[in-house]
Amino acid sequence: MLHSNTRWKRAWDISVAVLALGIGIFIPLYAVFPFASGPLIVLSAVVALVFFLDAGFEIALARRGADAPGAADVAAHEAVHLRAPTAVVAAVIAAFPSLVLAATGVLPGGAFRLLLALPMFKLGKLNRTMRRVGEAVMNPAVVRLVLLVFWILMAGHIIACGWILVSGNPAGLGASELYITAYYWTMTTLTTIGYGDITPSGQAQMLFVIPIQLFGAAMYGLIIGSIAGLLANIDVAKRRYREKMEQINAFLRYRNIPDNLKRKINSYYAYLWETRKGYEETEFLHDLPAALKESVALHLNKEIIERVPLFEQANENLIRDIILAMEPVVFTPNDYIVRAGEIGRDMYFISKGSVAVLSADETVTYATLTAGQFFGEISLLLSTPRTATIRALEFCDLYQLNKDQFDHVLEHYPEFRGSIQELAEERRNRVEALQKQENSP
Ligand code: CMP
């Protein structure tokens, strides 16, 4: 159950992150505003406990070892080798002031308050968790920008509290007014706007402001850089598609390809873009290790399997073998997929679109086949030339199974041979009957 990818572990990580966020907000406030010690002691005890449990989880993960089966993913390696030692150190440091506080029960003053800032260590975990959760639902470039803004706001909060600490409350403002003024000052300084309505006076305030000004300038650069990066990356796929189309069209012009063919090529790529958004299934699967490839291919092709009645009763191994052997192919409207009289090398399953089954001279339409149906099986099964011509009526997404793979499947699954042969013979008889009818005067 305890694996870095289980739902429990993820829920736990999110809870720790929320707690860390609370700490990040609450501790700087505690440093400047007086709070009752009771709730603070309880909070510190909870913080210490949670951080120790968290370290426990990380150690347990480390014990299981990166070599354990299933721990091959990057997140698990990161957990065991990098996060575990950090978590232990963070837990000990974070718990120290809380334990002292809980043991003595006294609200510490002076420098001890600074020790209470130690659990802010855990903000690192907050960042990791937010990034992981964000990247699961959003473009990573957007996540980076959102996180940057979040951390700037958070840094603003900490700096505002620090400003209150060094400048005090000479005007005798109420707590919220004091905080808002300090936050406003922080943001005008960080963004380099600097109205100058609130200025540092005295050495302590000036010394406090210098690193903040430097931080503000760096932050400015970071934000501009992030936005530029975001704009460049927000739609990498679309940009790549546009570049590819420019290249293709330049080639088509250079080789004087006729206009109608140019249009066909362009509409083919437009169709690919519309249906796949630039991601090529085969390319993607090719890079995956065998076990993952199988799971992903099964998931991607679930729809086609559900649509093909032939697979309804088929056993799981047969389906897996067929799926791993099938190659996705696309045909544009009016393309010839199969020509009557040719030697058959592949059969096809229709995933999307429809095709016409025609006589050799294309004057008679024997049938129209749509999603979930297949064709091209007769010549593979009976070792005869193609019995009909098949043309795409629209854009068609098909899965292609070559003769070797087809033979392999039939050899291992004789029951599949039975059902496919039945249909093949029925189709062939129908074609032969129609041909006889045509040839008779
Ligand atoms: P094959 O002969 O390899 O190539 C042409 C294909 O058209 C054939 O396999 C069948 O899959 C399909 N076909 C032939 N006749 C019919 C028909 N009457 N109805 C549906 N499909 C057919």
Side-chain angles (χ1 to χ4, degrees):
M1 181 200 94
L2 192 64
H3 181 268
S4 66
N5 276 336
T6 60
R7 222 186 300 155
W8 288 110
K9 177 70 172 72
R10 256 178 287 155
W12 172 259
D13 280 347
I14 292 173
S15 319
V16 176
V18 171
L19 190 74
L21 176 67
I23 291 166
I25 294 171
F26 191 75
I27 286 183
L29 284 178
Y30 166 73
V32 289
F33 297 109
F35 285 105
S37 61
L40 195 68
I41 291 173
V42 174
L43 182 80
S44 323
V46 171
V47 167
L49 183 71
V50 168
F51 285 6
F52 269 117
L53 280 177
D54 192 41
F57 273 137
E58 302 289 359
I59 292 168
L61 271 175
R63 285 258 164 83
R64 294 213 140 195
D67 316 320
D73 56 303
V74 183
H77 275 277
E78 193 198 346
V80 292
H81 292 306
L82 302 174
R83 294 216 306 270
T86 327
V88 177
V89 174
V92 173
I93 295 176
F96 175 67
S98 311
L99 291 177
V100 173
L101 190 63
T104 58
V106 199
L107 181 69
F112 191 83
R113 282 182 172 199
L114 290 178
L115 281 182
L116 286 176
L118 287 175
M120 289 179 70
F121 238 95
K122 273 290 191 212
L123 288 181
K125 178 144 193 163
L126 173 63
N127 191 48
R128 271 197 301 275
T129 309
M130 288 202 298
R131 205 179 52 214
R132 205 168 337 128
V133 172
E135 282 178 0
V137 290
M138 265 189 275
N139 181 322
V142 179
V143 174
R144 271 201 300 281
L145 189 70
V146 170
L147 279 181
L148 183 65
V149 172
F150 169 80
W151 286 114
I152 287 169
L153 293 175
M154 196 71 178
H157 168 68
I158 296 166
I159 294 169
C161 291
W163 176 249
I164 297 174
L165 213 57
V166 295
S167 61
N169 186 8
L173 303 174
S176 64
E177 205 179 342
L178 182 65
Y179 177 78
I180 290 168
T181 312
Y183 205 95
Y184 158 80
W185 171 85
T186 306
M187 282 303 153
T188 49
T189 308
L190 277 186
T191 52
T192 73
I193 293 170
Y195 290 127
D197 51 348
I198 304 170
T199 50
S201 62
Q203 282 182 16
Q205 289 183 22
M206 284 180 187
L207 283 173
F208 179 77
V209 172
I210 292 168
I212 290 167
Q213 288 168 333
L214 285 177
F215 175 64
M219 187 197 84
Y220 215 75
L222 256 177
I223 291 196
I224 303 277
S226 283
I227 292 177
L230 175 73
L231 291 179
N233 288 323
I234 199 145
D235 217 339
V236 184
K238 179 105 197 180
R239 200 188 61 211
R240 239 188 279 144
Y241 168 70
R242 260 195 238 116
E243 281 169 7
K244 188 172 177 176
M245 287 321 296
E246 274 166 25
Q247 264 179 6
I248 288 170
N249 281 314
F251 173 78
L252 298 179
R253 275 196 303 276
Y254 168 63
R255 296 307 305 260
N256 276 333
I257 304 289
D259 279 352
N260 63 338
L261 207 49
K262 263 191 219 161
R263 266 197 299 279
K264 218 169 146 85
I265 292 170
N266 271 292
S267 71
Y268 164 71
Y269 280 109
Y271 175 77
L272 279 194
W273 172 253
E274 236 168 68
T275 50
R276 292 158 175 73
K277 291 282 169 273
Y279 298 108
E280 248 335 306
E281 188 177 314
T282 355
E283 231 172 76
F284 170 70
L285 287 177
H286 185 260
D287 289 341
L288 291 178
L292 263 182
K293 185 171 164 177
E294 193 179 302
S295 315
V296 175
L298 279 173
H299 175 79
L300 286 175
N301 298 338
K302 215 168 56 197
E303 222 172 283
I304 171 91
I305 296 163
E306 280 166 4
R307 281 209 199 124
V308 179
L310 192 68
F311 291 149
E312 247 165 41
Q313 318 278 306
N315 91 29
E316 241 176 69
N317 292 338
L318 161 74
I319 291 181
R320 186 168 310 130
D321 277 0
I322 290 194
I323 281 200
L324 290 175
M326 288 193 314
E327 289 262 354
V329 280
V330 174
F331 287 91
T332 62
N334 295 323
D335 277 350
Y336 286 94
I337 306 170
V338 158
R339 285 181 202 258
E342 270 180 359
I343 307 283
R345 289 193 184 86
D346 307 280
M347 74 166 289
Y348 302 85
F349 294 91
I350 307 177
S351 168
K352 225 191 265 167
S354 53
V355 300
V357 183
L358 306 163
S359 60
D361 57 5
E362 297 181 38
T363 52
V364 186
T365 303
Y366 299 143
T368 303
L369 304 177
T370 58
Q373 292 178 293
F374 57 86
F375 57 87
E377 78 292 358
I378 298 181
S379 56
L380 299 196
L381 258 178
L382 311 175
S383 298
T384 53
R386 296 286 197 197
T387 53
T389 288
I390 301 212
R391 291 186 76 172
L393 291 171
E394 53 190 312
F395 275 106
C396 287
D397 274 313
L398 309 179
Y399 283 94
Q400 190 176 16
L401 192 65
N402 72 31
K403 182 159 171 43
D404 290 343
Q405 292 151 344
F406 181 76
D407 288 344
H408 170 87
V409 168
L410 292 193
E411 193 184 317
H412 287 82
Y413 307 96
E415 71 283 3
F416 183 66
R417 173 185 272 275
S419 40
I420 204 167
Q421 189 148 8
E422 212 175 286
L423 191 81
E425 273 164 13
E426 190 188 306
R427 280 175 169 178
R428 194 176 59 160
N429 292 342
R430 210 173 329 142
V431 171
E432 278 174 359
L434 283 166
Q435 279 168 349
K436 255 189 221 143
Q437 227 176 32
E438 239 183 291
N439 292 339
S440 61

